[in-house]
Amino acid sequence: AIREALDLLRGEGLVERCPGVGTTVAAEKYPHDLHRLLGLAETLHEHGRVTNEVRTMSLIAPPAAVGRRLGLAAGEQVVYLERLRSLNGLPLSLDLTYLVRDVGEPLFDADLEGNDIFVLLERVTGQPLGTAELTMEAVNADAHTAAVLDAPRGAALLMIERLTHLSDGRPVDLEYVRFRGDRLTMRGHLHRGREEDTCP
C-alpha cells in the first residue's frame, strides 16, 4: 500500500525517487518563459528575489568560436563574466557571459549583483535589445558547475546558449547558462502559421 501511494505521488510530481538516495519531496520548479527576451529577474519576479553573485569578471581573449559568433576581428578582447544566480537563496543557474568590449567595459562599474544584464545593456548602449538566437540542450553537471550550483556531479542540467543582438542587429552578448533542471522548467507560447508569415 505504501509503495502504491508513493507511485501515485511520484506520478503527480510531488515526490522523486533517486537511486541510492530514496524517495524525497520534489522541489518546486519555477517557470522560465521563452516567448519574450527577458532577464531572469524579469522572468521570475512573481516567484521571489533573484540575486547575482559575480564570481569572475575580466577582460580576456575569447575562444575562437565566441569571437566568430560576436563578429569580432582576430585579436579583439571581450569582457567575460561568470555569475551564480539564485532565487530566494536557492542556486538556480551558472551564467557564463561574453560581452563585446565597448559594451561590456562600462559594466565593471555597474550594479551587477542587483540587475539583469539585459537591463544594464540597454542602459549602457542607449538602445533596446532586439532579437536573440537560442539553443537549448540537456547536459550533465561537470565538477565546477556542480560545486557552484550545489548539485551532485553529473546531475541533469538545462543549458541555454543565447546570442543577443541590439535593436540595430549588432551581436553584443553571448551567454552559456546552465540551469538546475530540478528547479526550473521552460515554457513557451507558439503559433502555427504558414512559413511565409514568419519571413520579414
Side-chain angles (χ1 to χ4, degrees), residues 105-192:
E105 282 193 321
L107 300 189
F108 278 101
D109 299 318
D111 177 15
L112 291 166
E113 294 186 356
N115 288 288
D116 281 332
I117 285 287
F118 286 170
V119 171
L120 296 173
L121 291 180
E122 291 183 325
R123 204 174 289 165
V124 165
T125 62
Q127 64 174 296
L129 297 176
T131 61
E133 301 160 27
L134 184 133
T135 302
M136 183 169 58
E137 61 181 302
V139 298
N140 295 113
D142 56 44
H144 173 68
T145 304
V148 173
L149 292 178
D150 193 22
R153 185 170 181 175
L157 305 176
L158 294 170
M159 189 185 80
I160 286 182
E161 176 187 321
R162 181 174 57 207
L163 178 64
T164 303
H165 304 253
L166 295 175
S167 58
D168 63 7
R170 181 190 178 202
V172 292
D173 174 5
L174 178 60
E175 293 181 87
Y176 298 90
V177 184
R178 289 166 175 81
F179 291 101
R180 282 191 53 153
D182 60 339
R183 293 184 177 163
L184 189 132
T185 184
M186 300 291 177
R187 70 181 184 187
H189 190 79
L190 307 177
H191 295 274
R192 180 174 174 85

Side-chain angles (χ1 to χ4, degrees), residues 8 16 22 29 31-32 39 43 58 60 64 86 111 114 120-121 128 141 144 146 169-170 173 186 199:
L8 286 172
E16 299 172 334
K29 287 195 174 186
H32 188 295
T43 299
S58 59
I60 67 166
S86 301
D111 177 15
L120 296 173
L121 291 180
H144 173 68
R170 181 190 178 202
D173 174 5
M186 300 291 177
C199 297

Side-chain angles (χ1 to χ4, degrees), residues 30 40-51 86-89:
Y30 300 99
L40 192 64
E42 293 173 311
T43 299
L44 299 178
H45 71 276
E46 295 178 357
H47 302 280
R49 182 168 176 260
V50 172
T51 55
S86 301
L87 177 64
N88 300 325

